[in-house]
């Protein structure tokens, strides 16, 4: 029985990640015969999780094979993303499409748990109210820009918001009143997993994802598994020490951390911008000015690129990744600093460690963390799809 249920979950997982697949492709991937696929698919169709149909475009003569397609419009999760400057809520369908979304700006300072939870719950309820009749919410997932205790969604430390031991997952679950738990993960951890499943990391089980917001987060996959550490707080690459002697102070209390040297504050300060200036638009303006050859911005980009390259060189020496992916605001930064980053990698990473390492921009752009949160929400369904929880979130 357990085997059967896990086979249902495996089949559903394949179409969730890869999209429509023929019975033959599913049989090959799962190592079972086609009649088993037929039986499993029939159960999932009866439950409204997948449907079978002819592919939209076919080539060649003869009748095309049916494909198994996830019921993306009907079966969804609510996904939430708490970033430094914004909060996002989305209805994400089985198979990964973002069906609907709501977004709100949030101030950086003085934002307490109740305010954030209240805002997110309001956005979530709006999404559910706007969902088509007959849709089913099967889970809730959230991404948070801080260190999250696995299991209960407790924010142990959120440096940008000053949160320590805040019961974010539990409170959001209560505010939504859906009778479903909210699974919470660190934004960069979730971004790494999302890029591996659907973005620039597909096919690379040994990858490093670097997520820029105001600071820098990291997610490291080894053999396709997230390197969580002893208690789930691993991969804090933003606090890797790169400049201990005259480094900039970091929010963590140390100085010279990678994020202190490469984050938004460092970029604006190096470019000589006013000390009260902040925000993604201001950082982008520096990058634009550097591309146009403005001297202070050009020097800032060179220095920040140096530090970023030193950090990545350390990671390449340590983990020998197949790919390093730059996400969030690091997409913008890497696009401008790539030559500096490459020079430092060449100088500091050992040839044997770096020779196959690719450097890529995030394929999911600003939605990597949100898509990762959605996958947290889908995890229970994919582990054991039946019976489908017919709850109205
Ligand atoms: Zn730090």
């Amino acid at each position: 029985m357990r085997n059967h249920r896990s086979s249902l979950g495996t089949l559903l997982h394949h179409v969730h990640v890869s999209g429509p697949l023929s019975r033959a492709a599913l049989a090959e991937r799962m190592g079972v015969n086609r009649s088993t696929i037929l039986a499993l698919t029939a159960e999932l169709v009866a439950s409204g999780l997948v449907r079978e149909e002819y592919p939209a475009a076919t080539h060649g003569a003869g009748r095309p094979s049916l494909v198994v397609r996830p019921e993306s419009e009907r079966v969804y999760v609510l996904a939430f993303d708490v970033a430094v400057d914004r909060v996002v809520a989305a209805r994400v369908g089985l198979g990964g499409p973002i069906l609907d979304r709501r977004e709100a700006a949030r101030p950086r300072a003085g934002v307490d748990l109740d305010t954030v939870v209240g805002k997110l719950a309001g956005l979530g309820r709006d999404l559910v109210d706007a969902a088509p009749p007959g849709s089913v919410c099967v889970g809730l997932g959230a991404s948070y820009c801080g260190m999250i205790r696995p299991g209960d969604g407790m924010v142990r430390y959120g440096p940008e918001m000053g949160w320590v031991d805040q019961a974010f997952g539990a409170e959001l679950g209560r505010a939504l009143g859906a009778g479903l738990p909210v699974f919470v993960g660190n934004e960069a951890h979730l971004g790494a997993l999302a890029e591996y499943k659907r973005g620039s990391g597909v096919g690379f089980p040994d990858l490093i994802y670097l997520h820029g917001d105001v600071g820098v987060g990291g997610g490291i996959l080894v053999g396709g598994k997230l390197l969580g550490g002893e208690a789930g707080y691993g991969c804090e690459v933003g606090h890797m020490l790169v400049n201990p002697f005259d480094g900039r102070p970091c929010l963590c209390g140390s100085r010279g951390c990678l994020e202190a040297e490469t984050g938004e504050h460092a970029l604006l300060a190096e470019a000589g911008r006013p000390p009260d200036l902040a925000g993604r638009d201001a950082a982008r303006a520096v990058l634009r000015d550097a591309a146009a050859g403005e001297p202070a911005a050009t020097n800032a980009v060179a220095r920040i690129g140096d530090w970023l390259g030193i950090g990545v060189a350390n990671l390449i020496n340590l983990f020998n990744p197949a790919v390093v992916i730059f996400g969030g605001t690091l997409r913008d930064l890497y696009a401008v600093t790539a030559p500096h980053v490459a020079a430092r990698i060449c100088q500091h990473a050992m040839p044997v460690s770096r020779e196959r390492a690719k450097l890529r921009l995030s394929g999911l752009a600003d939605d990597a963390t949100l898509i990762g949160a959605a996958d947290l929400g889908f995890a229970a369904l994919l582990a054991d799809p039946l019976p489908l929880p017919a709850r109205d979130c």
Side-chain angles (χ1 to χ4, degrees):
M1 187 62 173
R2 177 66 244 167
N3 262 353
H4 177 70
R5 281 160 62 174
S6 97
S7 296
L8 288 168
T10 303
L11 193 159
L12 197 58
H13 182 267
H14 281 298
V15 296
H16 173 61
V17 173
S18 303
L21 290 169
S22 68
R23 288 177 191 164
L26 283 164
E28 190 181 330
R29 286 186 180 206
M30 293 175 64
V32 298
N33 60 38
R34 287 205 209 186
S35 60
T36 303
I37 295 295
L38 186 66
L40 292 170
T41 303
E43 276 193 70
L44 294 173
V45 168
S47 301
L49 288 164
V50 302
R51 65 178 186 273
E52 288 190 289
E53 62 182 27
Y54 290 107
T58 57
H59 303 283
R63 196 175 172 189
S65 307
L66 283 169
V67 294
V68 180
R69 174 187 293 276
E71 286 280 14
S72 301
E73 299 291 327
R74 174 174 184 266
V75 181
Y76 72 89
V77 297
L78 287 182
F80 301 93
D81 188 8
V82 181
V84 173
D85 287 322
R86 61 176 192 156
V87 292
V88 185
R91 210 159 55 76
V92 179
L94 186 64
I98 295 174
L99 303 170
D100 196 1
R101 67 190 295 155
R102 302 284 187 277
E103 192 167 324
R106 76 163 182 81
R108 287 192 176 180
V111 185
D112 61 18
L113 178 68
D114 288 347
T115 306
V116 171
V117 162
K119 174 65 77 178
L120 287 175
L123 297 178
R125 280 191 292 270
D126 281 353
L127 288 165
V128 171
D129 289 346
S135 357
V136 183
C137 177
V138 297
L140 307 166
S143 162
Y144 182 88
C145 51
M147 300 170 82
I148 309 301
R149 184 161 70 197
D152 66 358
M154 171 78 78
V155 175
R156 295 299 315 282
Y157 182 46
E160 288 293 337
M161 297 163 87
W163 285 12
V164 175
D165 290 338
Q166 299 286 306
F168 172 59
E171 289 302 318
L172 181 56
R174 208 181 334 268
L176 285 163
L180 289 167
V182 180
F183 295 99
V184 186
N186 166 273
E187 59 181 352
H189 293 188
L190 298 180
L193 291 164
E195 289 290 337
Y196 176 47
K197 275 188 193 156
R198 304 174 191 280
S200 299
V202 170
F204 299 110
D206 294 282
L207 74 75
I208 295 177
Y209 173 75
L210 299 176
H211 184 80
D213 198 337
V214 170
V216 175
I220 299 171
L221 302 193
V222 177
K225 303 277 184 216
L226 183 72
L227 193 67
E230 189 267 334
Y233 306 121
C235 311
E236 284 292 331
V237 301
H239 301 283
M240 176 169 54
L241 198 53
V242 293
N243 185 16
F245 299 113
D246 62 349
R248 294 176 181 280
C250 184
L251 278 177
C252 74
S254 181
R255 60 170 55 240
C257 297
L258 181 66
E259 78 165 39
E261 300 297 346
T262 63
E264 180 188 299
H265 301 304
L267 180 69
L268 294 171
E270 287 289 344
R273 302 296 157 107
D276 56 344
L277 196 62
R280 192 167 183 177
D281 288 344
R284 279 183 168 149
V286 173
L287 301 180
R288 264 199 315 275
D289 289 350
E294 196 256 298
T298 303
N299 289 338
V301 160
R303 187 163 169 83
I304 301 293
D306 257 357
W307 288 123
L308 184 59
I310 288 167
V312 174
N314 278 323
L315 292 170
I316 289 174
N317 281 335
L318 280 170
F319 296 102
N320 182 216
V323 61
V324 179
I325 299 169
F326 299 90
T329 58
L330 282 181
R331 292 176 84 237
D332 301 333
L333 185 67
Y334 178 69
V336 179
T337 59
H340 305 284
V341 173
R344 282 294 182 179
I345 291 171
C346 204
Q347 197 176 345
H348 301 297
M350 291 181 290
V352 170
S353 303
R354 72 171 193 251
E355 63 192 0
R356 287 158 59 86
K358 287 167 267 300
L359 306 178
R360 290 186 173 172
L361 297 179
S362 156
L364 300 171
D366 284 343
D367 288 332
T369 52
L370 187 69
I371 295 295
D375 272 329
L376 272 186
F378 278 119
L381 176 77
L382 298 178
D384 193 359
L386 300 180
L388 186 61
R391 291 187 179 89
D392 180 10
C393 293

